[in-house]
Amino acid sequence: MKAKKSFGQHFLNREEIAERIANSLTINNELGHPVLEVGPGKGMLTKYLLKQYPLLKVVEADVDMVNILHKYYPQLENRVISGDFLKVDLAAVFEGQSFSLIGNFPYNISSQIVFRMIKYRDIVPEMVGMFQKEMADRIIAKPGGKDYGIISVLAQAYYEGKTLFDVDKSCFTPPPKVQSAVIRLIRKENQDLGCDEGLFRQVVKTSFNQRRKMLRNTLKPLFPEGSTELEDVFFQKRPEQLSLADFVGVTQLLAKQTT
């Protein structure tokens, strides 16, 4: 079965890497913990997950791969979700139970997978995923560099991230044009940002939409006309210079201006 470009498929061909990914969840000794694998393909990672997580479920968009999973992993009966992960009601997968998310993620939807995880963060305490290295670097990037952006701030608002290891392009069939990396995100205990979360997301996205401009220019449309707050020297900064706490502070300031 050949990989399909439409699904962003690159099949992992190294057993030791698949096993290492499966062992990277911090709950790997809790046999009763639900785990959801995204994009299992032919099941390279799946077989190692099954050894540890009897409650494992998988979601796969490619019907051909679903048929392969049914054929070679009969123990997954009634636990293969045939469909698009981005359209699955994650709250219903394990009937409202919390679960860990894992996968060799399709690179063409990897950022959307992270944003969906954030949306369901109340029931997703941990994620281990293979990403294009550039995307992995963005997710865990710190302020001050070109990798730091919207996904960095929003992911780190709720999760602590860490790069576990890099994976060479030769470890896939067909090999992608980019290097890959496996990262782990663990949900923070304190989920309260101390500000309106919808407004916080708006501030972050608006700031980075024109990342080369100073905040006083990009955020001007959000502040009331005639507001003098933007004259502060702080707003001469560009978005990549702001920490998570800074974005929260700007959101709090804006909320006071608009109430």
Side-chain angles (χ1 to χ4, degrees):
M1 182 67 65
K2 292 184 177 180
K4 299 174 183 175
K5 289 185 178 180
S6 59
F7 288 103
Q9 292 173 341
H10 296 278
F11 300 126
L12 187 64
N13 58 29
R14 297 280 291 276
E15 298 280 351
E16 69 275 16
I17 293 176
E19 185 173 20
R20 189 175 178 186
I21 295 171
N23 290 335
S24 292
L25 288 170
T26 62
I27 46 80
N28 59 2
N29 290 320
E30 300 177 22
L31 298 181
H33 185 82
V35 173
L36 180 64
E37 182 187 1
V38 180
K42 294 187 286 188
M44 170 67 92
L45 175 59
T46 310
K47 62 186 173 186
Y48 291 102
L49 292 170
L50 280 169
K51 294 177 182 179
Q52 300 184 59
Y53 306 109
L55 298 183
L56 175 73
K57 290 187 178 182
V58 302
V59 54
E60 174 58 62
D62 185 349
V63 175
D64 289 330
M65 295 302 152
V66 169
N67 292 333
I68 287 177
L69 292 167
H70 282 309
K71 180 178 180 180
Y72 292 103
Y73 300 97
Q75 62 269 53
L76 280 175
E77 185 177 2
N78 299 322
R79 289 190 281 144
V80 178
I81 302 168
S82 180
D84 182 352
F85 170 80
L86 300 178
K87 297 178 181 178
V88 172
D89 179 3
L90 297 185
V93 174
F94 292 102
E95 300 179 343
Q97 278 186 282
S98 292
F99 62 90
S100 294
L101 196 61
I102 194 168
N104 174 17
F105 297 144
Y107 292 167
N108 55 349
I109 63 166
S110 62
S111 61
Q112 296 174 70
I113 290 173
V114 173
F115 288 128
R116 194 156 181 81
M117 176 194 70
I118 294 170
K119 178 180 178 180
Y120 286 92
R121 61 187 178 275
D122 288 347
I123 56 172
V124 185
E126 180 178 21
M127 181 275 286
V128 169
M130 175 105 70
F131 293 83
Q132 178 179 337
K133 182 167 174 52
E134 181 180 346
M135 178 56 66
D137 289 344
R138 287 180 188 172
I139 295 168
I140 64 169
K142 299 304 178 186
K146 62 181 179 61
D147 291 331
Y148 188 67
I150 294 173
I151 198 168
S152 318
V153 179
L154 296 184
Q156 292 171 43
Y158 306 105
Y159 290 85
E160 296 284 354
K162 179 182 180 181
T163 297
L164 300 181
F165 54 92
D166 294 340
V167 182
D168 190 77
K169 62 183 73 174
S170 64
C171 298
F172 299 89
T173 305
K177 296 179 180 179
V178 296
Q179 297 293 96
S180 303
V182 176
I183 66 172
R184 179 168 58 219
L185 298 178
I186 296 180
R187 189 179 61 200
K188 295 178 177 178
E189 288 188 15
N190 182 12
Q191 295 286 294
D192 182 10
L193 295 181
C195 65
D196 180 279
E197 293 186 1
L199 185 58
F200 170 76
R201 289 191 295 271
Q202 185 180 11
V203 167
V204 173
K205 291 178 179 179
T206 303
S207 298
F208 281 104
N209 279 343
Q210 301 181 73
R211 62 181 299 145
R212 293 185 178 181
K213 291 188 176 182
M214 290 187 292
L215 293 172
R216 65 171 43 157
N217 296 319
T218 54
L219 296 180
K220 186 176 181 179
L222 300 183
F223 280 80
E225 188 174 350
S227 173
T228 59
E229 299 292 345
L230 293 173
E231 295 177 9
D232 190 285
V233 66
F234 174 86
F235 290 95
Q236 292 180 8
K237 294 182 178 181
R238 290 175 173 77
E240 67 268 17
Q241 296 175 282
L242 271 62
S243 66
L244 171 62
D246 289 332
F247 278 110
V248 169
V250 171
T251 305
Q252 293 169 335
L253 176 64
L254 180 58
K256 290 179 181 178
Q257 293 286 304
T258 54
T259 54

